[in-house]
Amino acid sequence: MMKKILIVAPAWIGDAIMAQPLYMRLHQRHPGLQLDVLAPAWTRPLHARMPEVHQAIDNPFGHGELGLRKRWQLGRQLKAAHYDQVIVLPNSLKSALVPWFARIPLRTGWVGEARYGLLNDSRKLDPYALPLMVERFVALAEPAGQAFPRPAQPRLSVDTAQRDTTRARLKLPTDLPIVAICPGAEYGPAKRWPARHAAALSLALLERGYQVWLFGSDKDAPIAGEIAAQAPGVVDLTGKTSLSEAIDLMSLARGAVCNDSGLMHVAAALNLPLVALYGSSSPEFTPPLSHRAQIVSLDLDCAPCFERTCPLGHMNCLNELEPQRVLDTLLPMLPSPITKFGV
């Protein structure tokens, strides 16, 4: 009989990608598995690019919203799907309510916010034994206390037909190798490399015969606009593509430079040569899951602080991260461009 598992998936783009190795492991353990995810609607383009996911079900609840009656109604709808197991990845008590209302027989997750009763397969996390977020996710594929294999690397599929359509709509040339720069970070300014540094890097790449494309949402348009103003010739795509289109277009790049952000994890899952910039956060917990990624960080005494804005007011962890260091890390990872001079 086919096994059916529901995943209550994370809301952040990066975390959603880091959950994919769990899905891969579940398919290894349960051939023929039907795996569905309950996730916010904005992550649907990600799950559509994961072949392990059969169906994405929209999770309609906003951050902090209790909505007990709505959760009960959703739980009763999901009860009709007859899932064998649910794995709850967020640690909040609220995230375990819908599976409990759905009466899914096996409800697995970390204890989190004292979710005893809501989960009947609750695990106590040892953060020192499982320092990485991806390890904490993949461990839930196994029976409690059982070892798990090394997590696989996430891999997002690409819709080449949609990519060609989007490229034609935006009139994007591909005659020179492309470097993707992702200047935003949803969490806050303490994770964003300064625009002047990104502009200096962009100019150095343009001078060497590369194209530079800036990726991000409309929230990233202000910092991208600063970069574009200081580095004429970059292609600013922030706010001009959907997440699905951005995934496709990023697959054309020959390398990427990203802050610790959701798009950093997208670049890693596309297997791009990647330079990942860390300031207030730490690669010890959420590194890019790719063998082709290089992490650049100053490792200051005050970092990581994990704050949205610098508590000391100077943000030296990123202000002092010079463009030349990033360029020196990136160039060996890129193909040599063919310039108009043929060199």
Side-chain angles (χ1 to χ4, degrees):
M1 182 177 176
M2 179 180 66
K3 190 174 182 71
K4 294 180 68 175
I5 295 179
L6 177 68
I7 306 289
V8 180
W12 294 93
I13 288 173
D15 295 359
I17 292 174
M18 286 185 283
Q20 191 185 16
L22 164 64
Y23 310 159
M24 295 172 175
R25 178 59 183 156
L26 288 169
H27 276 277
Q28 288 177 345
R29 294 195 68 236
H30 307 290
L33 169 69
Q34 177 181 319
L35 189 148
D36 296 343
V37 297
L38 178 65
W42 63 81
T43 64
R44 183 179 284 272
L46 296 174
H47 296 118
R49 304 310 181 88
M50 298 180 183
E52 302 80 13
V53 174
H54 171 261
Q55 177 185 202
I57 303 163
D58 288 346
N59 186 339
F61 305 103
H63 179 69
E65 178 185 356
L66 181 57
L68 266 179
R69 182 173 179 79
K70 287 169 59 179
R71 290 182 192 270
W72 178 83
Q73 291 171 336
L74 179 57
R76 304 317 287 169
Q77 293 171 19
L78 293 175
K79 187 174 187 289
H82 301 292
Y83 290 106
D84 300 293
Q85 182 183 11
V86 61
I87 299 176
V88 182
L89 296 184
N91 286 326
S92 67
L93 184 144
K94 294 185 291 292
S95 62
L97 285 170
V98 169
W100 186 73
F101 287 138
R103 296 295 187 264
I104 297 173
L106 182 61
R107 303 184 297 278
T108 300
W110 299 109
V111 171
E113 294 180 349
R115 301 185 291 185
Y116 302 103
L118 295 179
L119 302 177
N120 56 11
D121 178 25
S122 58
R123 319 278 181 87
K124 186 173 182 180
L125 175 65
D126 179 351
Y128 298 101
L130 301 175
L132 296 176
M133 179 181 286
V134 66
E135 294 173 335
R136 299 176 187 184
F137 288 166
V138 173
L140 296 176
E142 316 294 331
Q146 185 170 309
F148 58 90
R150 182 185 180 91
Q153 295 181 17
R155 284 292 178 267
L156 298 178
S157 62
V158 174
D159 185 333
T160 55
Q162 176 177 276
R163 182 178 67 186
D164 292 344
T165 299
T166 305
R167 187 171 64 84
R169 173 173 64 84
L170 296 172
K171 298 180 174 60
L172 298 172
T174 55
D175 53 329
L176 295 175
I178 301 153
V179 175
I181 295 182
C182 304
E186 182 74 15
Y187 185 72
K191 292 175 74 172
R192 296 187 199 119
W193 201 36
R196 67 183 185 279
H197 289 345
L201 175 67
S202 298
L203 286 173
L205 291 168
L206 292 169
E207 289 168 359
R208 286 165 172 79
Y210 296 96
Q211 295 187 75
V212 175
W213 292 2
L214 306 180
F215 287 90
S217 70
D218 52 0
K219 294 179 182 178
D220 304 317
I223 190 170
E226 291 181 53
I227 297 167
Q230 298 174 57
V234 303
V235 177
D236 181 5
L237 297 173
T238 57
K240 297 175 183 175
T241 66
S242 65
L243 176 57
S244 182
E245 291 169 337
I247 292 170
D248 289 332
L249 291 177
M250 282 183 70
S251 73
L252 292 170
R254 306 302 295 273
V257 177
C258 305
N259 299 318
D260 177 18
S261 64
L263 287 182
M264 177 194 75
H265 292 284
V266 169
L270 291 171
N271 202 31
L272 299 181
L274 168 66
V275 178
L277 310 179
Y278 279 78
S280 65
S281 57
S282 170
E284 300 300 317
F285 183 46
T286 56
L289 302 177
S290 168
H291 294 313
R292 304 184 79 187
Q294 295 287 330
I295 292 167
V296 177
S297 173
L298 293 181
D299 296 320
L300 301 183
D301 290 341
C302 58
C305 67
F306 298 105
E307 298 292 341
R308 292 179 183 269
T309 57
C310 177
L312 301 177
H314 55 58
M315 214 173 80
N316 286 346
C317 59
L318 290 173
N319 280 327
E320 295 184 356
L321 185 54
E322 294 295 332
Q324 188 63 49
R325 179 174 172 184
V326 178
L327 181 67
D328 290 343
T329 304
L330 176 65
L331 285 178
M333 306 167 72
L334 298 177
S336 297
I338 300 174
T339 70
K340 62 183 178 180
F341 302 108
V343 296

